[in-house]
Amino acid sequence: MLTLALPKGRLAEESIELMLERGWLSGRPDPDSKELIYKDPKGKVRILLVRSQDVATYVEQNSADAGIVGWDVLLEGDYDLLLPLDLLIGKCRLSVAGPKGWSLSSGERKVRVATKYPNIAKDFFLKKGINCEVIKLYGSIELAPLVGLSDCIVDLVSTGGTLRANNLEEIEVIMESTARLVFNRSALYTKRAEVGEFLESFALTEKQL
């Protein structure tokens, strides 16, 4: 049995749909259940539902054999995982956003940036030659420029609805992100048959690792 870490929310739903199509699940976990571990009756996979930022850590530390995680999370962290494979789900973009009328050339000597992605944000502004102060937040990022905590934000954008609802606008796209399938090195050897079957069901081969 493979243990798979999934991020809670929309990406988990898309991942579960994909596994249903590939025959790895016999049904969906109960959406009303508070349980964080789901063992499919087929006995082929066990699912751990965790925060998106924690998926890679669970896999890296061998608490899960594999995981499905956004490319943005993998780039932000420094994880020892096998080369991620693009599943082409969970599409979104990581962007700079700010109040209407604000721009990257607004003239501030130091730009204050609120984000869950301090490493990506620092690298982006450094390459632009812009001095920045990063303020790390874990939620409600859009609130920061509204109350004067930051000049702008760096956050994931899907439809842009949350930005518009808070009178913010997307200024520049830093990167596009999709979900990636990752394995730890141990699983490739201790569960080689299961890993091979899983990869084959997604039309992937071990040579791509």
Side-chain angles (χ1 to χ4, degrees):
M1 175 182 291
L2 281 177
T3 298
L4 184 71
L6 295 183
K8 298 176 185 177
R10 181 173 64 90
L11 185 51
E13 295 172 4
E14 291 187 53
S15 301
I16 287 168
E17 185 65 34
L18 203 58
M19 286 191 288
L20 284 167
E21 293 174 0
R22 301 298 196 279
W24 279 87
L25 291 176
S26 58
R28 291 179 173 82
D30 182 359
D32 297 321
S33 174
K34 300 299 182 183
E35 294 182 350
L36 300 177
I37 299 178
Y38 172 76
K39 184 177 179 180
D40 190 72
K42 276 188 174 183
K44 296 176 69 175
V45 66
R46 181 176 68 151
I47 293 174
L48 310 182
L49 293 170
V50 303
R51 287 182 57 178
S52 60
Q53 286 82 3
D54 294 336
V55 170
T57 300
Y58 274 85
V59 179
E60 184 181 45
Q61 297 299 319
N62 297 324
S63 293
D65 303 307
I68 294 178
V69 59
W71 182 233
D72 53 290
V73 174
L74 292 174
L75 284 186
E76 175 64 24
D78 182 21
Y79 303 104
D80 181 21
L81 296 170
L82 296 177
L83 183 65
L85 305 168
D86 196 346
L87 296 178
L88 301 176
I89 60 173
K91 295 180 180 179
C92 56
R93 56 195 181 274
L94 188 66
S95 296
V96 179
K100 293 181 178 179
W102 189 88
S103 72
L104 292 174
S105 58
S106 291
E108 293 92 341
R109 294 199 310 175
K110 178 182 284 188
V111 174
R112 294 172 300 155
V113 186
T115 185
K116 289 182 288 189
Y117 302 91
N119 294 327
I120 294 176
K122 286 177 183 176
D123 184 63
F124 171 79
F125 282 95
L126 179 63
K127 289 178 178 177
K128 290 279 188 181
I130 299 173
N131 190 16
C132 75
E133 174 190 352
V134 172
I135 302 165
K136 187 170 183 179
L137 296 177
Y138 295 92
S140 302
I141 308 295
E142 295 84 4
L143 181 62
L146 302 182
V147 297
L149 180 60
S150 71
D151 300 303
C152 64
I153 65 173
V154 169
D155 202 15
L156 289 179
V157 178
S158 181
T159 65
T162 303
L163 293 179
R164 290 190 292 272
N166 289 283
N167 294 314
L168 302 176
E169 59 185 7
E170 196 170 2
I171 294 166
E172 186 168 338
V173 176
I174 297 176
M175 58 172 285
E176 302 285 344
S177 179
T178 51
R180 310 299 170 104
L181 174 64
V182 296
F183 289 89
N184 59 49
R185 299 180 185 280
S186 176
L188 189 61
Y189 295 99
T190 61
K191 298 186 177 181
R192 193 173 188 84
E194 293 94 329
V195 169
E197 183 183 354
F198 197 85
L199 291 173
E200 185 178 355
S201 70
F202 285 90
L204 304 172
T205 67
E206 290 184 19
K207 291 181 180 179
Q208 290 177 275
L209 291 175

